[in-house]
Amino acid sequence: MGDWFIAGLVDGKVEGSGYGGKVTKCVPEQLGHLVIVKTRKESFKTGKDKGEVEASEENKGGAQGDIQDKTLFGNEVLDLNSMEHPQPFISTDEEGRLFLEPKMKNFLENIDHPLVVVAVAGIYRTGKSYLLNRLMGKQDGFPLGSTVQSKTKGIWAWVTKHPRYPDRVLLLLDTEGLADPEKANVDHDIWIFSLAILLSSIFVYNSKGVIDSDALEKLQMTSELTEHLRIKSGGNEDGEDFHRVFPDFIWAVRDFFLKCEIDAVEVSPNEYMDWHLKMKKGKRPEIMKANSIRSSIRSFFDTRDCFLFPFPVEQGLLRDLDKVPFSKMDKNFINVGNTFVDHILNNKATKNIFGKAMTGRMYALMIESYLKAIRDGVIPSVENAVDYMAEAENKKAKELAVEAYRNELKDLKCPVPNNTLLERDSKAKKIAVNIYLDRSLFDKNEEGSISLGLDLNEIFNNMVNENSLLSMKKSKEAFVKLHEPIQSKIKQGYFLKPGGYTLYEKDMTQVVSQYKEFTDLGDEAGAMLNEMMMDKEVERKQILDADKQLGIEQKRTEEERKKKEEQEREVRRQKDDLQRMEEEQRKMQKDHDDTMKKYAEETKKKYENEKKDLQNRIQAESKRHEEMIKNGFTEEAQTLKNRLNNMQNVLTQKDNEKQRQMQEFQQRLSRELKLQNDRFNEQLAAFQRQHAHAGGRKQKD
């Protein structure tokens, strides 16, 4: 495996973009585009370019990874050849309705690893696609175009294994340019803009020139998001919880030509952006409108960064930027681009919903939910999308958990002692529960967990029943086999002679002794021995009565001895059964306690994450509140203060809510399991009564 860096072929040489490493023996046959290179003297080949590279010492600690024709994720193979170039992702049909491309849907559904999603949006013809091409390590990936017409329609996507985090998948989204005069649907822009935000973990807004009132005016849609998105279904939306699902925000300012200064003092790009996002005093409509946009950006996006790109080349070369070699580009432009790429690719935060990392399969479900709402003329709701995802994911999680449970027990050769069954059941349940908890989503009222518990309990009860029946069958077969020689002697009249009873008892004693030597008959062996011995009472008494060598008193004594022996054997069996059942009960209780502990840990983790998220939000809003007070925005500060108080109350209630939910779940699961076990025990008792009645009738006959 080699370390990665992105390089451009320039005048027969390879120039890197900051990933480290040096290139040797490079003999390109085609110049002027980017290639992805593996280091440590591993050969590379992209198109017609061939070469060999060697890692530098400082690059040996870099991320590992191979981009191969096929990339293996778990048990699934994704054909990355089909994604050598961006593909249509979300398109519009003939009636202007948005839909997810079937090819991309199928592609996503096969990705079972977390996604890092980068979306770029902005006014049309501002160079959005170029930024994504840099992230791809190419100049000709997403189409750039060289006319005033927008090249990107709908949303296009490119998917690959993340170059720095092999356990993640990188998804790049290029959105249709905003404010394109060729569009007929006035709502199209806001839906594309909203989807770019909802679907990304990093949202890049691309603009040109400087950050000023005109640039803010073009971000008007951020203040309109509350009219087009909902966190919860139904009711009005104030955007208070948008930050929980919104991505990191990056403002990429292209063709920046000013000094990065505030009041003649040099500042960083982030400080430059933050200064322009501060609320400005005044009641004029244009100021209030700009303040609304500023407030929305600061409130909705917790993490904000800014990159200021100077002009890349002379004006005349801009139209063919995808063909301009690195050596012809402005060095500051290249450096900012390298920093931009590093910043995004070093960010391993995945696309998540309420703290849950999203796989490709989950992502496709979420997109389908949003697009269906838009097509139906309904405002998309994150809560509805989560419910839609959760229903599908939890069903699949339960299926996988049950399958894992069955697989863990399938090699058991029944009959086995119930203790063995319980031990395997305990191990299998732990595996199943871990799978379910790892994969399930937002299990409302723990419905899925309770359903899983009942299903596993039913499977186990059925296995216990089957194990018991097999134990009875195998025990009976073993006894009958051992008794066959005696049966043959009885048919021959061997025991119908003086002293015959003594011979019969000797043979039967040997049968019992041999029977007890079996170790694979299961827990019903003792009960079946007693039953089979009862079945032989008729033949025993016949042989005893026929033995003329024994007197009446001897026969009576023998009857009393046999009766006492049977009673003692039954007492021992019941005692052994009681000890076994008590041990089984202890193991079952421990297993139940362990399961509850696991659920409690997961519940605690969930609430701790929610508390941390809320604490971070309170901290950020407190800073905004202080800033408003300082700048004299008294009315806005009071509104924010009320919101802070509400958040603080919610934070205080979290611990009580966690404890209450866990208690309710434990009580409900215990109650449901008890009802299920009671029904099973009633059926088992009825079967045992029927079996005992049949045995008694046989003895009487």
Side-chain angles (χ1 to χ4, degrees):
M1 302 285 283
D3 295 328
W4 292 104
F5 65 96
I6 296 177
L9 297 175
V10 182
D11 297 333
K13 300 179 181 178
V14 176
E15 294 185 2
S17 67
Y19 287 88
K22 60 182 180 179
V23 181
T24 60
K25 301 180 182 178
C26 183
V27 187
E29 299 177 19
Q30 183 178 10
L31 306 179
H33 68 275
L34 299 177
V35 293
I36 296 181
V37 180
K38 258 192 325 185
T39 62
R40 295 193 185 145
K41 292 186 177 180
E42 297 188 47
S43 63
F44 69 87
K45 181 178 180 181
T46 302
K48 295 182 179 180
D49 305 298
K50 301 177 182 179
E52 185 176 278
V53 295
E54 180 177 321
S56 60
E57 288 299 318
E58 62 270 20
N59 191 42
K60 288 184 179 178
Q64 304 294 307
D66 275 344
I67 294 184
Q68 305 168 354
D69 289 344
K70 293 182 183 296
T71 301
L72 183 66
F73 292 140
N75 295 323
E76 52 205 28
V77 178
L78 300 181
D79 187 357
L80 295 183
N81 284 330
S82 63
M83 293 300 288
E84 285 183 349
H85 301 285
Q87 301 288 325
F89 186 54
I90 294 176
S91 306
T92 54
D93 61 18
E94 294 177 354
E95 298 180 9
R97 297 176 302 184
L98 295 167
F99 69 94
L100 176 61
E101 291 282 352
K103 180 179 178 181
M104 286 303 303
K105 178 183 177 183
N106 293 335
F107 198 88
L108 287 170
E109 286 174 344
N110 286 320
I111 298 176
D112 203 23
H113 281 237
L115 297 177
V116 175
V117 186
V118 182
V120 177
I123 304 300
Y124 83 109
R125 302 302 302 124
T126 54
K128 303 183 312 309
S129 300
Y130 181 80
L131 296 178
L132 289 167
N133 287 340
R134 285 299 308 269
L135 292 170
M136 288 176 64
K138 297 183 178 183
Q139 282 183 281
D140 58 353
F142 290 94
L144 299 183
S146 57
T147 70
V148 294
Q149 289 182 308
S150 174
K151 281 290 184 179
T152 305
K153 299 297 181 183
I155 299 179
W156 285 58
W158 185 71
V159 189
T160 184
K161 192 172 181 181
H162 200 292
R164 301 190 185 182
Y165 302 101
D167 62 331
R168 287 162 168 73
V169 173
L170 179 63
L171 171 61
L172 304 179
L173 301 180
D174 190 12
T175 65
E176 183 174 345
L178 307 175
D180 186 346
E182 295 182 4
K183 295 174 189 172
N185 188 344
V186 293
D187 290 328
H188 188 77
D189 275 0
I190 186 63
W191 289 131
I192 291 294
F193 186 78
S194 301
L195 286 170
I197 290 174
L198 285 174
L199 300 182
S200 61
S201 54
I202 301 173
F203 175 76
V204 181
Y205 178 72
N206 188 72
S207 68
K208 278 191 173 184
V210 295
I211 298 179
D212 56 13
S213 57
D214 183 58
L216 286 171
E217 175 77 21
K218 290 182 172 64
L219 267 172
Q220 169 68 23
M221 280 184 287
T222 57
S223 63
E224 298 173 359
L225 288 172
T226 55
E227 301 173 19
H228 294 84
L229 301 177
R230 295 281 185 273
I231 296 298
K232 296 182 178 180
S233 57
N236 295 324
E237 179 63 65
D238 60 7
E240 182 177 340
D241 290 326
F242 276 180
H243 74 102
R244 297 181 62 196
V245 297
F246 274 22
D248 293 354
F249 178 86
I250 294 178
W251 196 330
V253 182
R254 307 290 295 280
D255 303 344
F256 184 75
F257 55 88
L258 299 177
K259 290 183 178 180
C260 191
E261 295 179 346
I262 297 174
D263 296 332
V265 177
E266 185 177 354
V267 295
S268 69
N270 281 4
E271 291 170 330
Y272 171 78
M273 176 185 66
D274 285 342
W275 187 86
H276 284 283
L277 291 179
K278 286 183 177 181
M279 305 283 279
K280 309 302 180 186
K281 291 184 178 181
K283 295 295 183 179
R284 295 199 312 273
E286 61 271 22
I287 293 178
M288 295 180 68
K289 183 178 180 180
N291 278 345
S292 175
I293 298 170
R294 293 183 179 103
S295 177
S296 296
I297 295 173
R298 294 173 66 88
S299 177
F300 297 165
F301 301 97
D302 287 343
T303 302
R304 302 179 299 275
D305 291 283
C306 181
F307 291 88
L308 305 175
F309 290 81
F311 280 96
V313 291
E314 294 178 3
Q315 189 76 19
L317 297 175
L318 280 175
R319 68 181 62 185
D320 296 316
L321 189 59
D322 57 329
K323 298 177 182 177
V324 178
F326 273 23
S327 61
K328 301 292 185 181
M329 292 186 184
D330 181 83
K331 290 188 180 300
N332 288 333
F333 177 82
I334 294 296
N335 290 336
V336 174
N338 292 340
T339 305
F340 172 81
V341 169
D342 280 341
H343 176 84
I344 289 180
L345 294 185
N346 284 335
N347 186 343
K348 63 179 180 180
T350 59
K351 174 60 185 172
N352 68 78
I353 288 289
F354 303 139
K356 188 76 172 182
M358 299 185 68
T359 63
R361 184 185 59 260
M362 294 160 57
Y363 193 68
L365 288 168
M366 182 183 71
I367 295 172
E368 289 282 23
S369 175
Y370 289 148
L371 294 182
K372 184 179 185 303
I374 294 172
R375 287 194 299 269
D376 292 344
V378 179
I379 296 177
S381 159
V382 175
E383 186 177 76
N384 286 344
V386 168
D387 288 345
Y388 181 70
M389 279 192 303
E391 182 179 359
E393 281 296 291
N394 293 350
K395 180 181 178 182
K396 185 66 175 178
K398 180 182 165 185
E399 290 173 356
L400 292 174
V402 170
E403 181 183 3
Y405 179 83
R406 291 185 186 277
N407 287 338
E408 191 63 28
L409 297 175
K410 69 180 180 181
D411 63 338
L412 269 177
K413 303 300 181 184
C414 293
V416 295
N418 279 354
N419 272 336
T420 300
L421 203 58
L422 278 169
E423 288 171 0
R424 293 293 294 274
D425 166 71
S426 177
K427 179 182 177 183
K429 274 183 179 171
K430 284 183 174 67
I431 293 172
V433 168
N434 285 338
I435 288 174
Y436 182 79
L437 290 176
D438 182 60
R439 183 152 181 166
S440 63
L441 287 175
F442 315 113
D443 193 1
K444 282 191 175 180
N445 301 319
E446 312 298 340
E447 294 287 347
S449 298
I450 291 172
S451 178
L452 174 65
L454 293 174
D455 281 3
L456 298 185
N457 195 53
E458 182 178 3
I459 295 171
F460 177 69
N461 283 341
N462 290 337
M463 185 169 285
V464 168
N465 188 36
E466 181 184 359
N467 187 57
S468 178
L469 292 174
L470 287 172
S471 177
M472 293 165 65
K473 180 182 177 183
K474 191 169 184 178
S475 298
K476 184 175 181 178
E477 290 173 348
F479 187 91
V480 169
K481 186 73 174 176
L482 293 172
H483 188 265
E484 281 179 356
I486 296 177
Q487 193 67 33
S488 178
K489 289 179 180 180
I490 290 174
K491 289 180 180 180
Q492 297 170 11
Y494 177 77
F495 299 114
L496 299 178
K497 61 184 179 181
Y501 181 76
T502 302
L503 295 173
Y504 173 80
E505 276 296 289
K506 181 180 178 182
D507 284 358
M508 285 298 291
T509 300
Q510 186 177 4
V511 166
V512 172
S513 178
Q514 290 175 336
Y515 178 89
K516 290 181 177 179
E517 290 177 2
F518 286 109
T519 59
D520 60 348
L521 300 182
D523 290 342
E524 300 299 326
M528 288 306 297
L529 176 61
N530 288 355
E531 183 176 319
M532 296 306 295
M533 292 298 288
M534 290 292 291
D535 284 347
K536 302 307 175 188
E537 273 298 288
V538 174
E539 72 179 34
R540 185 190 70 79
K541 288 182 178 181
Q542 288 175 346
I543 294 172
L544 178 62
D545 290 342
D547 193 340
K548 304 300 183 182
Q549 184 174 319
L550 298 174
I552 295 174
E553 187 64 30
Q554 288 177 307
K555 291 180 180 180
R556 185 170 60 250
T557 302
E558 177 61 19
E559 282 294 315
E560 291 175 355
R561 185 187 70 79
K562 288 299 294 182
K563 185 176 181 180
K564 182 179 180 182
E565 182 181 283
E566 290 169 4
Q567 290 175 344
E568 290 174 350
R569 185 164 57 239
E570 180 63 18
V571 169
R572 284 198 301 273
R573 185 192 67 80
Q574 291 180 359
K575 183 179 179 180
D576 290 344
D577 284 352
L578 180 61
Q579 290 178 344
R580 175 172 55 82
M581 290 172 66
E582 288 175 347
E583 178 62 23
E584 290 171 3
Q585 189 63 37
R586 281 194 292 270
K587 287 186 176 181
M588 290 174 69
Q589 185 61 49
K590 183 180 183 302
D591 182 53
H592 178 75
D593 292 343
D594 288 345
T595 301
M596 288 297 103
K597 182 179 179 182
K598 180 67 178 177
Y599 278 115
E601 289 173 353
E602 289 298 317
T603 301
K604 180 181 179 182
K605 187 188 301 183
K606 181 185 78 171
Y607 275 92
E608 288 300 325
N609 288 338
E610 289 179 1
K611 283 176 62 177
K612 184 178 180 181
D613 177 63
L614 195 53
Q615 287 167 343
N616 290 339
R617 183 60 176 168
I618 290 173
Q619 185 176 3
E621 292 295 304
S622 296
K623 289 181 179 179
R624 284 186 62 214
H625 180 258
E626 291 174 2
E627 182 181 309
M628 286 180 176
I629 293 292
K630 181 179 178 181
N631 293 327
F633 294 96
T634 309
E635 186 177 339
E636 292 87 347
Q638 184 57 49
T639 301
L640 187 56
K641 180 66 175 177
N642 294 337
R643 183 183 297 179
L644 279 168
N645 290 337
N646 290 335
M647 286 192 289
Q648 194 64 53
N649 291 335
V650 171
L651 183 63
T652 304
Q653 295 168 4
K654 280 292 179 183
D655 288 332
N656 293 334
E657 184 182 347
K658 176 189 70 175
Q659 187 175 1
R660 177 188 57 77
Q661 182 177 347
M662 195 60 211
Q663 286 176 347
E664 289 178 356
F665 166 63
Q666 185 169 359
Q667 290 169 1
R668 185 178 172 195
L669 180 58
S670 298
R671 184 170 61 251
E672 295 287 349
L673 288 174
K674 183 179 184 303
L675 289 172
Q676 188 182 55
N677 288 333
D678 287 346
R679 287 193 297 269
F680 173 78
N681 290 332
E682 287 175 6
Q683 295 171 356
L684 184 60
F687 169 80
Q688 290 173 339
R689 286 195 299 272
Q690 183 181 2
H691 185 75
H693 179 67
R697 188 169 60 247
K698 183 183 288 187
Q699 180 183 358
K700 184 177 180 181
D701 294 342

